[in-house]
Amino acid sequence: MKYKTIIEPFKIKSVEPIRFTNREEREVLLKEAGYNPFMLHSDDVLVDLLTDSGTSAMSSKQWAGIMEGDEAYAGSKSYYRFEAVVRSITQMKHIIPTHQGRAAEKILFSIVGGPGKYFPNNTHFDTTRANIEFTGSEAFDLLNEVGKHPEIRADFKGNMDLEKLEAFINEKGAENIPLCLITVTNNSGGGQPVSMQNIRETKQLCSKYGIPLFIDACRFAENAYFIKLREKGYENKTPLEIAQEMFSYADGVTMSAKKDALVNIGGFLALNDDELAIKCRNLLIVTEGFVTYGGLAGRDLEAVAQGLLEVLDEHYLQYRIRSVEYLGEKLIAAGVPIIEPPGGHAIYIDAKRFVNHIPPEQYPGQSIVCELYLEGGIRAVEIGSVMFGKYDNQGKLIPAMMELVRLAIPRRVYTQSHVDFLIEVITEVYKKRNELKGYKIIYEAPILRHFTAKFEPLMQ
Ligand code: F0G
């Protein structure tokens, strides 16, 4: 088409009103929530960017699928439709449904993990790391150097560092590495894509040492579209063809369908290894459910199958990637420091540069998150020292590598005017950044503290 405006490739059939509050109300609500937006009631939030997970708007065909769902305990026809679609994309032999991504991780690592084992990844998502560490194994992030620098623009900042991976295999011993993972796109590193070349070369390296390669595929379609846009030789391929090639290098897949399957709940584990599949299915029956539903209703499987077809539509992916990029471009133009270039599912504000007067011990990301809510009712999430900070023996904070605020964009939920509103609010908060104060933690849980921590603003 000759027109440059990329429109939302859908019409809206059903709407959900959002509730407006004023700053005074939000001050009370945020204080009651211990200055932790995870503790807010969602109807006190105007634009909710906490996560892109499970927050997609489903299509009329997905809702029709909900009615079509076959709720048979065993052998449901919805399972077979789900299996056929997942197999057509991943080409995997065994397709095992789970209720969400971490359930697939839990099953996989319970079987292949254990003390003395090591699992490399470009960057582990926190549930992946937690499921690995829970078995007594260790998880390592071997991200390419360029991916660690928010201000550097590069096409594939999610790539695995292959030199580091080879050194890691030699150091730990291939026999102690049950599998290697690669996460597409790299969520914890800014939603940055991984190139096909990098996936292929990671596979080659793993094969040299007899290590299986698994893909954490939550955002596989967004990654495939970035490959189409940025990698030579893929410009004329369809997102499906690109996704198929990505998965052709994998021995297994873990997937949270709550992202790129456009559903509110669901996931799967897909494998080629027959023996491993038997063990996983046996554990599935104990923890999730029978092999043809795995913790989901038949209707959920229908919605996943339909969502996986829709997410690979080029008009959808063009709109999706462009709408996130639009937000990023406007924020950059307003001087707001973000991870560049914009990622696939989210914009990550670089809090270190945004409020450089607030040191990591006073949680700069949390300060921005709180102000975004107070200023405009926007809910974002801190991905920095609140989420990943640890303490040394003296109880001193060991800060996270980066201090970020993630603005995750739910799929097909908000329109361009919501995004324009976000840009206005964030720009306003940026203008008064020097007035922002640090925070201190007054309560925290021993693990995954960011969900329930309580804070107090510092006065000085
Ligand atoms: N892997 C990645 C890369 C993820 O981003 C997530 C979830 C999971 C695994 C786990 O999937 O939630 O279905 O159990 N990420 C969400 C987020 C929660 O907000 O980024 P799940």
Side-chain angles (χ1 to χ4, degrees), residues 9-310:
F10 47 79
K11 297 184 285 182
I12 296 167
K13 180 172 286 203
S14 175
V15 297
E16 187 181 348
I18 47 182
R19 196 172 82 81
F20 289 77
T21 51
N22 60 36
R23 185 165 179 122
E24 289 69 50
E25 288 168 319
R26 290 194 291 273
E27 273 165 5
V28 175
L29 293 163
L30 189 63
K31 191 168 182 211
E32 281 172 3
Y35 297 93
N36 183 349
F38 274 107
M39 295 287 147
L40 289 168
H41 292 210
S42 68
D43 58 0
D44 295 330
V45 174
L46 192 63
V47 181
D48 201 347
L49 308 182
L50 191 65
T51 179
D52 64 319
S53 181
T55 51
S56 298
M58 292 211 292
S59 68
S60 48
K61 277 202 177 150
Q62 284 178 295
W63 282 111
I66 295 275
M67 288 307 294
E68 285 281 328
D70 172 6
E71 302 304 342
Y73 189 94
S76 152
K77 78 170 195 272
S78 301
Y79 169 76
Y80 291 106
R81 178 168 181 231
F82 161 87
E83 184 192 41
V85 174
V86 176
R87 188 172 288 140
S88 71
I89 299 168
T90 65
Q91 319 283 316
M92 293 282 149
K93 224 166 138 185
H94 303 283
I95 315 293
I96 301 170
T98 60
H99 80 272
Q100 62 185 82
R102 69 197 70 180
E105 293 166 355
K106 170 80 181 153
I107 288 169
L108 179 65
F109 295 115
S110 299
I111 292 163
V112 301
K117 305 266 170 65
Y118 304 93
F119 292 92
N121 198 335
N122 49 351
T123 313
H124 290 280
F125 182 65
D126 54 5
T127 60
T128 323
R129 174 176 287 278
N131 274 305
I132 289 170
E133 291 175 351
F134 191 73
T135 73
S137 299
E138 287 180 60
F140 289 83
D141 297 338
L142 304 178
L143 183 64
N144 215 290
E145 187 56 33
V146 76
K148 298 178 192 163
H149 299 276
E151 69 290 353
I152 300 178
R153 281 188 95 93
D155 284 343
F156 293 105
K157 289 175 77 175
N159 281 356
M160 180 81 88
D161 187 325
L162 294 165
E163 261 176 43
K164 273 198 202 146
L165 179 60
E166 185 149 32
F168 179 85
I169 296 171
N170 288 323
E171 186 199 321
K172 304 293 182 198
E175 67 284 4
N176 300 317
I177 304 175
L179 56 88
C180 170
L181 285 132
I182 197 156
T183 303
V184 297
T185 57
N186 180 22
N187 181 13
S188 310
Q192 300 292 321
V194 181
S195 71
M196 191 72 88
Q197 185 184 345
N198 191 253
I199 300 174
R200 191 186 304 123
E201 289 176 0
T202 304
K203 171 63 183 173
Q204 283 162 357
L205 187 59
C206 286
S207 299
K208 183 170 146 192
Y209 293 95
I211 300 168
L213 176 66
F214 274 57
I215 294 183
D216 177 336
C218 299
R219 302 176 178 88
F220 76 98
E222 290 168 8
N223 200 85
Y225 195 67
F226 277 121
I227 289 176
K228 185 178 169 80
L229 293 179
R230 298 180 183 174
E231 195 164 344
K232 214 166 159 279
Y234 291 94
E235 41 294 82
N236 296 319
K237 297 218 153 107
T238 63
L240 173 63
E241 287 167 338
I242 297 171
Q244 285 168 333
E245 184 180 338
M246 282 162 49
F247 290 121
S248 74
Y249 303 121
D251 301 283
V253 177
T254 58
M255 171 83 183
S256 167
K258 299 172 73 172
K259 285 82 169 175
D260 267 353
L262 301 170
V263 291
N264 308 119
I265 195 73
F268 59 81
L269 179 61
L271 303 162
N272 277 334
D273 183 322
D274 297 334
E275 228 177 281
L276 181 58
I278 291 173
K279 288 185 188 156
C280 289
R281 286 198 168 106
N282 287 341
L283 191 52
L284 183 87
I285 293 175
V286 181
T287 59
E288 289 278 289
F290 188 61
V291 299
T292 58
Y293 73 86
L296 292 168
R299 53 181 172 267
D300 299 322
L301 294 165
E302 288 284 344
V304 172
Q306 181 60 31
L308 285 170
L309 300 178
E310 292 175 11

Side-chain angles (χ1 to χ4, degrees), residues 334-354:
V336 179
I338 63 165
I339 292 192
E340 294 193 44
H345 67 293
I347 293 297
Y348 294 68
I349 293 175
D350 184 356
K352 264 189 201 162
R353 285 187 287 154
F354 192 112

